[in-house]
Amino acid sequence: MRAAVCGYPIAHSLSPALHRAAYAALGLHGWEYDLLEVDEQRLPALVASLDAGWAGLSLTMPLKQAVVPLVDEVSDFARAVGAVNTVVVTPRGAGDGVHLRAENTDVHGIVAALAEAGAARIGSGTVVGGGATARSAVVALLRAGCPRPVAVVRSPERARELREVAARLGGEVDVRGWAELPSALEAEVVVSTVPAAASEDVAAALTGRSGPHPLLLDVVYAPWPTPLAQRWDGPVVGGFEMLLHQGAAQVELMTGHRAPLAAMREAGLAALRARASA
């Protein structure tokens, strides 16, 4: 069986280390997990080529919405979140091709990563950014009990999308402009979904603040640490933990087996150490 992580760019991805470690621990001999550089233009051909020899795809940017019209089914939860990071391939039967179902495990990854850091229940939370991962982060905060997450965005269009996502799940989000970032960082939990290159802008909003910072989940794991993580004067959870937990959920969807979380974590951390020493 085959599976792969797809995105553009994709060379930095740790997903192969995690999934291959899971296959080895589960005794799934002959299972392969590849890394495929695929952009929005190449995605339709890849999806059309999926057959019964495939278990599924892991998707990262910029494919989390582009894949939606290409599959047979989008789970109710993924459709509500408005972002997909997983495609599960299921044979229909002899000669009948395959069924492609899109899922979202990013929300689970964020919820689990925050819970491990002691934030299983959240009173106030802020999401920085407005893309596909930000939508998952808003939903994760709602699921963790945050009554009205704050989202700080640059684009009014992103603000509309985030409000729609929260409404579909029976919640509400307080969307603010970038100028309000300094005050929004006062929340109990902050989730930054901006790329590493843009995190310097977020870090700049910390200037002049005194006292300990709240818990930060920075979804970036490569390069690490980000400028924001380096300047954060408080507990920090890196994007590796989110990746680990969302990847474990993908393993379970694609293999039908309980994910060997400890083996996956060990392999992922070893890969990160190897990169740091290279």
Side-chain angles (χ1 to χ4, degrees):
M1 297 295 291
R2 291 187 66 191
V5 59
C6 308
Y8 186 86
I10 198 64
H12 67 282
S13 179
L14 280 180
S15 291
L18 300 179
H19 287 252
R20 290 168 186 169
Y23 299 163
L26 292 170
L28 297 176
H29 306 295
W31 280 62
E32 301 175 1
Y33 191 94
D34 301 316
L35 186 151
L36 302 177
E37 188 166 82
V38 179
D39 58 16
E40 291 167 292
Q41 288 69 44
R42 299 173 187 169
L43 183 62
L46 172 63
V47 172
S49 73
L50 299 176
D51 58 24
W54 282 84
L57 299 175
S58 306
L59 302 173
T60 185
M61 297 304 294
L63 308 178
K64 293 186 175 186
Q65 290 176 290
V67 75
V68 170
L70 305 177
V71 298
D72 301 302
E73 177 189 1
V74 179
S75 72
D76 291 343
F77 181 66
R79 191 174 296 281
V81 175
V84 164
N85 75 320
T86 309
V87 173
V88 181
V89 182
T90 307
R92 295 181 187 272
D96 291 330
V98 294
H99 180 83
L100 306 179
R101 186 178 81 255
E103 300 279 359
N104 178 300
T105 68
D106 279 339
V107 172
H108 169 77
I110 295 169
V111 169
L114 290 173
E116 279 194 344
R121 299 296 296 174
I122 298 170
S124 63
T126 293
V127 176
V128 183
T133 305
R135 290 192 283 275
S136 294
V138 165
V139 174
L141 292 179
L142 288 169
R143 285 201 152 192
C146 183
R148 195 166 186 257
V150 171
V152 182
V153 300
R154 294 185 189 271
S155 165
E157 176 65 19
R158 294 293 176 84
R160 180 184 62 79
E161 293 172 352
L162 289 172
R163 289 191 181 99
E164 290 175 352
V165 168
R168 285 197 294 268
L169 291 157
E172 188 178 3
V173 61
D174 177 7
V175 181
R176 302 182 188 178
W178 206 255
E180 297 181 75
L181 181 58
S183 61
L185 295 179
E186 300 292 339
E188 186 180 312
V189 170
V190 174
V191 182
S192 173
T193 68
V194 302
S199 76
E200 186 66 56
D201 293 341
V202 185
L206 302 174
T207 302
R209 287 189 53 186
S210 60
H213 297 163
L215 172 66
L216 169 70
L217 168 59
D218 190 327
V219 304
V220 174
Y221 63 88
W224 186 262
T226 65
L228 176 61
Q230 288 178 306
R231 291 182 56 181
W232 195 263
D233 184 20
V236 176
V237 179
F240 172 75
E241 292 300 324
M242 172 189 167
L243 180 75
L244 170 67
H245 288 288
Q246 66 86 17
Q250 289 180 334
V251 167
E252 294 179 358
L253 287 169
M254 294 181 193
T255 71
H257 296 281
R258 184 176 181 84
L261 195 64
M264 294 174 69
R265 176 179 273 116
E266 181 180 354
L269 292 176
L272 284 174
R273 288 193 297 270
R275 289 183 181 186
S277 62

